[in-house]
Amino acid sequence: MGQAIQVLDVVKVYPLGNGEVVAIDHLDLDIAQGEFVAIVGRSGSGKTTLLNLLAGIDRPTSGKLRVGDTDLASLSESGLAAWRGDSVGLVFQFFQLLPTLTVAENVMLPMDFAGKIPVGRRRSRAEHLLDRVGIAEQADKLPATLSGGQQQRAAIARALANDPPFLLADEPTGNLDTTTADAVLKLFAELNAEGRTIVVVTHERDIRSIVSREVTLVDGRIITDQTTGATR
Ligand code: ADP
Ligand code: MG
């Protein structure tokens, strides 16, 4: 399998008051195509920073990030946004659905942005994706009328809008009850089985039964990197 994600000696420093915070500290990480990786670690260990670097939302202070065939440093801000819209599906803890749009419209938004899916196919693709994540019947409702688990499924459908090879999720189950969280993680496992490379930041204790690899961060460094029990 090819190297899907390559993080080479990456440092991310944030200014703070008169000093600075080293959020990511000379981190190296290779992720192969098709892996399902959990990033774990305490609050403040650098998980969100790492995910934002992988998504090109943020730039490293130094070091190199390659995602798919793309050296992220080679892209301008608008180039990064276009690349992200095409290649990366993002899922967040608080769903971040637009409240005034219906669920289907939320899923269509990244299609409108990327322009890859023909206009006439966007609605039916949104319906297909909502069916895929198990909430087809919620398509024309507003997000606020859905349960937390349903909103996260809608956000996952939105992340799949342009059929990205990478899914990055930052504590996607952090706002869900245990049963709902399990169901959402199973959905990620299914999407991984279809060939997507997935990196998920999580606090779920039983994540090891689902992912293929668990990377633990402390102070912006990897302290353990373990292959887990899950097989595919
Ligand atoms: P985690 O997601 O594991 O909780 P973060 O990546 O959010 O960790 O944060 C890592 C470190 O960087 C923490 O010390 C945090 O306070 C700091 N940090 C994160 N974002 C910023 C920012 N925008 N400005 C300053 N410091 C930040
Ligand atoms: Mg975080």
Side-chain angles (χ1 to χ4, degrees):
M1 290 256 191
Q3 222 51 270
I5 295 176
Q6 206 175 19
V7 179
L8 265 177
D9 199 25
V10 162
V11 174
K12 178 66 182 180
V13 177
Y14 293 110
L16 185 72
N18 295 325
E20 52 184 38
V21 178
V22 181
I24 296 293
D25 189 5
H26 296 282
L27 188 138
D28 293 299
L29 178 64
D30 281 340
I31 295 173
Q33 195 188 321
E35 275 196 287
F36 184 6
V37 181
I39 308 281
V40 304
R42 296 196 172 180
S43 179
S45 58
K47 305 181 299 295
T48 294
T49 301
L50 177 58
L51 219 64
N52 287 346
L53 292 170
L54 292 177
I57 291 169
D58 214 347
R59 301 222 189 233
T61 305
S62 65
K64 209 170 147 67
L65 290 138
R66 178 172 281 277
V67 181
D69 295 328
T70 305
D71 174 359
L72 299 193
S74 72
L75 297 177
S76 64
E77 292 309 309
S78 60
L80 271 179
W83 166 80
R84 190 185 312 125
D86 251 12
S87 307
V88 182
L90 289 166
V91 180
F92 306 97
Q93 180 174 359
F94 295 105
F95 324 132
Q96 296 182 214
L97 299 163
L98 291 183
T100 59
L101 298 183
T102 67
V103 167
E105 286 165 350
N106 268 278
V107 176
M108 289 162 70
L109 211 55
M111 302 184 212
D112 297 339
F113 177 71
K116 205 164 78 173
I117 314 288
V119 178
R121 297 231 309 266
R122 291 177 195 168
R123 170 74 201 194
S124 61
R125 176 164 174 78
E127 286 171 4
H128 162 76
L129 290 171
L130 289 168
D131 186 43
R132 173 72 192 77
V133 301
I135 54 164
E137 70 286 359
Q138 310 297 329
D140 294 316
K141 296 186 182 165
L142 291 175
T145 66
L146 274 58
S147 70
Q150 288 171 330
Q151 289 187 55
Q152 194 58 300
R153 286 171 185 274
I156 293 169
R158 178 186 57 188
L160 296 171
N162 294 315
D163 197 20
F166 299 100
L167 275 184
L168 304 177
D170 194 357
E171 304 199 29
T173 59
N175 205 35
L176 304 176
D177 65 70
T178 311
T179 310
T180 311
D182 282 351
V184 165
L185 289 173
K186 283 209 183 77
L187 177 57
F188 277 111
E190 289 168 20
L191 297 169
N192 171 245
E194 292 170 5
R196 287 189 181 79
T197 305
I198 303 184
V199 181
V200 57
V201 169
T202 183
H203 285 299
E204 295 298 320
R205 304 235 174 266
D206 46 3
I207 191 70
R208 283 157 164 257
S209 63
I210 294 174
V211 297
S212 55
R213 182 176 172 193
E214 185 184 70
V215 170
T216 307
L217 294 188
V218 173
D219 296 337
R221 280 181 233 158
I222 294 174
I223 58 151
T224 63
D225 183 349
Q226 295 173 306
T227 302
T228 61
T231 51
R232 56 185 44 83

